[in-house]
């Protein structure tokens, strides 16, 4: 790709970007949210037509009029926002657009067999190929998206944040498949905000900033992390996790006791004090997200109670939870947490629209003013609350979700994967926001697939495995190796463990 330029109304998304990818290599594309990575990939995949510049593929100039044309030419893309069909089966999604047929009739059994082969190659033979895709977890759907890309027999595969929802074992499987592909001469463009992954799987690195190529052909394994971060952000990010300021109070704000949901998790108990950050660690599928959603009222428990400042919440009632002071930032912010076509101001004001209403009608100026103030506190960019939230980068979209609950004045904030798909610079800003909220007395619960993130943010850590709490300890008594041992091997909580945990909960407030 040479001199690629792409403009949108008021925005020059790409300003002369260059990218070279060789057969059999993993070429890593790095940059902050908004640097132009996704736009560049959409140009390559035929979703956008460049305003100028040229693309050469396998020695021939190409200009793809559609994603289908790029697909036929041998370019497969695994987008960060999955382009799958929830109402179709797993197998139907895997072969979509290339359904096996004979005499004009599709052959479902051949589709099922092909899907099973690819899922097995990816280390997931247990995924039922006839199950409706929408019934799978986010991680399961990501695996299906990878299988679909493999089904194309492509010469070039683009992977945009492929590991964002995968657990460590699934990431290892992904890397194994990537190495098999490159050994066969397939080229891979790999996009990730996890710099440790770049070192593990990458060969060369290209860095984008503000729609321009600022570095090319960097060696992935030997380029210092500080140099990569400086190229991406234009500054040095010295402290990923801001220092803790003060101690949590003795006031218990959130109390969860014996919470269970059949088939998902069982007998989960914990307390969170004002100003405390509690981290939930565990593999994808361990029940972490389900616990948060049940506390928030989005799921109805089969047993247990949730109390806020001593008052029990009605099970399965989100409005009651919000009135009691709970806020949730969900794992899938674009589909579960934001109205993508609505402006920033409406997304921020959503839980408290009544405060901006007069005589049954919204007061747009008051809504806009409140949104401008709270997004300004979090440095949401661009600083225009009238912009559709879909035009913001991932990091700024996450800040909009946090701004919503800051405006609402919540006393308990539940954060599910708060930095998923967020670049290193925006991560440090989000960490600072979480620390600031805790310092102001908010009780925070954080779920993250990244163990260093849990340990770096939390005061205490709860480790879940197969829907049960297997360990609870202050964060400074744990390290990454110990947590990974617990989530991978674990043990069911004994009576003594339960007693110890209750004692610990009492001693911590």
């Amino acid at each position: 790709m040479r001199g690629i330029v792409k403009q949108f109304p008021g925005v020059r998304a790409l300003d002369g970007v260059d990218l070279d990818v060789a057969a059999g290599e993993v070429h890593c594309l790095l940059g902050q949210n908004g640097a132009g990575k996704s736009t560049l990939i959409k140009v390559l995949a035929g979703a956008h037509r460049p305003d100028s510049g040229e693309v050469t593929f396998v020695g021939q100039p190409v200009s793809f009029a559609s994603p289908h044309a790029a697909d036929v030419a041998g370019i497969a893309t695994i987008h960060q926002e999955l382009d799958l069909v929830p109402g179709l089966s797993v197998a139907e999604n895997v072969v979509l657009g290339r359904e096996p047929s004979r005499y004009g009739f599709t052959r479902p059994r051949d589709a099922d067999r092909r899907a099973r082969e690819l899922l097995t190659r990816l280390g997931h033979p247990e995924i039922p190929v006839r199950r409706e895709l929408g019934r799978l977890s986010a991680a399961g759907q990501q695996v299906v998206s990878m299988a679909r890309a493999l089904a194309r027999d492509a010469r070039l595969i683009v992977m945009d944040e492929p590991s964002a929802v995968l657990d460590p074992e699934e990431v290892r499987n992904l890397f194994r498949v990537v190495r098999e592909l490159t050994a066969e001469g397939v080229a891979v463009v790999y996009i990730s905000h996890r710099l440790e992954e770049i070192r593990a799987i990458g060969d060369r690195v290209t860095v984008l900033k503000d729609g321009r190529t600022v570095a090319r052909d960097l060696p992935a394994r030997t380029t210092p992390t500080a140099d990569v971060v400086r190229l991406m952000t234009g500054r040095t990010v010295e402290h990923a996790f801001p220092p803790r300021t003060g101690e949590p109070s003795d006031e218990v704000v959130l109390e969860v006791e014996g919470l269970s949901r059949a088939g998902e998790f069982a007998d989960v108990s914990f307390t969170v004090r004002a100003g405390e950050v509690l981290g939930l660690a565990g593999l994808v599928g361990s029940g972490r997200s389900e616990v948060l959603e049940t506390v928030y009222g989005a799921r109805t428990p089969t047993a247990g109670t949730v109390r806020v400042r001593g008052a029990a919440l009605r099970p399965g009632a989100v409005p009651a939870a919000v009135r009691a002071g709970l806020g949730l930032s969900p794992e899938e912010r674009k589909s579960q947490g934001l109205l993508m076509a609505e402006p920033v101001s409406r997304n921020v004001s959503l839980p408290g629209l009544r405060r901006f209403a007069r005589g049954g009608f919204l007061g747009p100026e008051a809504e806009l003013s409140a949104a401008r103030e709270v997004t300004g506190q979090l440095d949401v960019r661009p600083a225009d609350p009238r912009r559709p939230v879909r035009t913001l980068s991932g990091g700024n979209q996450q800040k909009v979700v946090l701004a919503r609950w800051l405006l609402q004045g919540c006393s308990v904030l539940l954060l599910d994967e708060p930095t998923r798909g967020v670049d290193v610079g925006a991560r440090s800003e989000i960490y600072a926001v979480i620390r600031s909220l805790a310092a102001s007395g908010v009780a925070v619960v954080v779920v993250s697939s990244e163990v260093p993130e849990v340990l770096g943010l939390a005061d205490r850590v709860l480790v879940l495995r197969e829907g049960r709490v297997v360990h609870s300890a202050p964060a400074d008594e744990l390290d990454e190796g110990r947590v990974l041992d617990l989530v991978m091997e674990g043990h069911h909580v004994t009576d003594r463990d339960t007693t110890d945990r209750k004692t610990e909960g009492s001693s911590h407030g």
Side-chain angles (χ1 to χ4, degrees):
M1 305 182 80
R2 284 281 179 271
I4 304 297
V5 173
K6 181 63 182 176
Q7 295 192 134
F8 299 100
V11 178
R12 194 174 179 89
L14 300 175
D15 191 10
V17 171
D18 296 333
L19 176 67
D20 290 293
V21 186
E25 80 160 337
V26 179
H27 196 110
C28 300
L29 184 61
L30 302 183
Q32 287 188 279
N33 293 117
K37 304 186 302 296
S38 293
T39 304
L40 185 68
I41 292 313
K42 288 177 180 176
V43 168
L44 177 59
H48 290 327
R49 299 292 296 273
D51 297 315
S52 62
E54 63 177 12
V55 180
T56 303
F57 184 58
V58 198
Q60 298 297 319
V62 293
S63 179
F64 300 125
S66 68
H68 177 69
D71 182 58
V72 170
I75 298 176
T77 305
I78 303 170
H79 293 284
Q80 184 177 355
E81 306 303 324
L82 302 181
D83 54 346
L84 302 173
V85 184
L88 296 181
S89 71
V90 167
E92 287 169 332
N93 272 280
V94 169
V95 301
L96 192 64
R98 295 197 177 186
E99 295 83 354
S101 62
R102 180 177 292 178
Y103 307 124
F105 295 94
T106 59
R107 298 173 62 85
R109 288 185 181 180
D110 289 350
D112 291 351
R113 183 172 59 253
R114 179 66 169 148
R116 285 193 194 96
E117 291 171 354
L118 293 169
L119 291 170
T120 299
R121 183 179 182 184
L122 287 166
H124 284 275
E126 80 286 354
I127 295 179
V129 297
R130 295 195 175 185
R131 176 170 292 177
E132 188 176 305
L133 180 93
R135 295 174 58 197
L136 297 185
S137 66
Q141 293 186 32
Q142 181 70 41
V143 172
V144 173
S145 181
M146 294 177 197
R148 181 179 169 186
L150 294 180
R152 268 50 188 166
D153 295 322
R155 299 284 300 273
L156 170 65
I157 298 181
V158 180
M159 300 181 174
D160 191 355
E161 295 286 353
S163 67
V165 295
L166 303 181
D167 65 36
E169 182 60 31
E170 290 168 327
V171 172
R172 282 191 286 273
N173 271 327
L174 169 64
F175 286 1
R176 173 183 56 78
V177 172
V178 168
R179 291 187 183 103
E180 290 175 359
L181 290 168
T182 53
E184 296 167 2
V186 176
V188 174
V189 174
Y190 194 93
I191 301 173
S192 177
H193 291 306
R194 298 176 177 178
L195 298 184
E196 68 276 8
E197 291 185 2
I198 303 306
R199 294 197 185 285
I201 198 64
D203 294 308
R204 291 188 297 150
V205 173
T206 290
V207 182
L208 302 187
K209 184 177 187 298
D210 299 329
R212 297 183 177 92
T213 303
V214 294
R216 294 170 56 188
D217 301 332
L218 299 177
R221 292 172 179 81
T222 58
T223 302
T225 298
D227 291 354
V228 175
V229 171
R230 186 176 64 255
L231 287 165
M232 289 169 58
T233 65
R235 57 192 170 88
T236 301
V237 180
E238 296 180 354
H239 302 290
F241 301 103
R244 293 175 175 85
T245 55
E247 292 292 324
S249 76
D250 293 332
E251 179 192 7
V252 174
V253 179
L254 176 66
E255 185 178 4
V256 176
E257 185 174 359
L259 199 65
S260 302
R261 184 171 161 86
E264 294 178 353
F265 59 88
D267 194 26
V268 173
S269 300
F270 60 84
T271 60
V272 192
R273 297 173 290 160
E276 183 178 30
V277 180
L278 175 70
L280 298 189
L283 299 179
V284 173
S286 63
R288 309 164 311 174
S289 298
E290 291 80 2
V291 168
L292 247 61
E293 291 175 6
T294 304
V295 169
Y296 184 64
R299 298 174 185 245
T300 303
T302 50
T305 57
V306 178
R307 295 184 178 88
V308 177
R309 290 197 166 90
L313 296 184
R314 184 157 58 91
V318 170
V322 173
R323 286 195 296 272
L326 269 70
L328 172 69
S329 173
E331 179 181 10
E332 298 290 333
R333 61 175 171 265
K334 291 191 176 182
S335 60
Q336 299 174 337
L338 295 167
L339 301 176
M340 298 301 291
E342 293 292 327
V344 169
S345 58
R346 179 55 45 82
N347 276 278
V348 168
S349 67
L350 203 56
L353 285 177
R354 289 186 179 183
R355 66 188 287 186
F356 304 111
R358 296 291 183 273
F361 294 93
L362 279 174
E365 290 305 317
E367 181 186 28
L368 200 62
S369 175
R372 183 175 285 111
E373 179 180 352
V374 73
T375 53
Q377 291 177 37
L378 300 186
D379 194 25
V380 175
R381 300 180 186 179
D384 181 4
R386 294 166 296 189
R387 287 180 68 103
V389 77
R390 61 177 168 76
T391 65
L392 273 58
S393 68
N396 283 292
Q397 288 176 357
Q398 186 64 50
K399 288 182 186 179
V400 169
V401 178
L402 296 177
R404 169 187 302 161
W405 300 118
L406 186 61
L407 179 63
Q408 189 72 5
C410 67
S411 55
V412 179
L413 188 56
L414 310 172
L415 304 176
D416 195 353
E417 301 285 6
T419 62
R420 178 185 168 193
V422 172
D423 66 69
V424 64
R427 277 182 180 226
S428 63
E429 294 174 357
I430 289 172
Y431 294 155
V433 170
I434 294 170
R435 278 270 190 271
S436 175
L437 289 168
S440 71
V442 176
V444 182
V445 183
V446 176
V447 163
S448 176
S449 298
E450 299 183 39
V451 175
E453 185 167 86
V454 173
L455 296 176
L457 282 173
D459 299 296
R460 280 189 301 128
V461 176
L462 223 63
V463 181
L464 277 76
R465 176 178 166 84
E466 296 176 357
R468 291 182 178 273
V469 176
V470 296
H471 195 69
S472 174
D476 57 12
E477 294 181 8
L478 297 168
D479 59 32
E480 185 174 0
R482 174 61 174 149
V483 174
L484 287 174
D485 284 344
L486 287 164
V487 301
M488 299 297 288
E489 300 298 331
H491 66 279
H492 287 301
V493 182
T494 64
D495 292 339
R496 185 171 181 272
D497 291 328
T498 305
T499 303
D500 290 346
R501 193 170 68 250
K502 288 180 178 178
T503 303
E504 181 188 22
S506 298
S507 67
H508 283 277

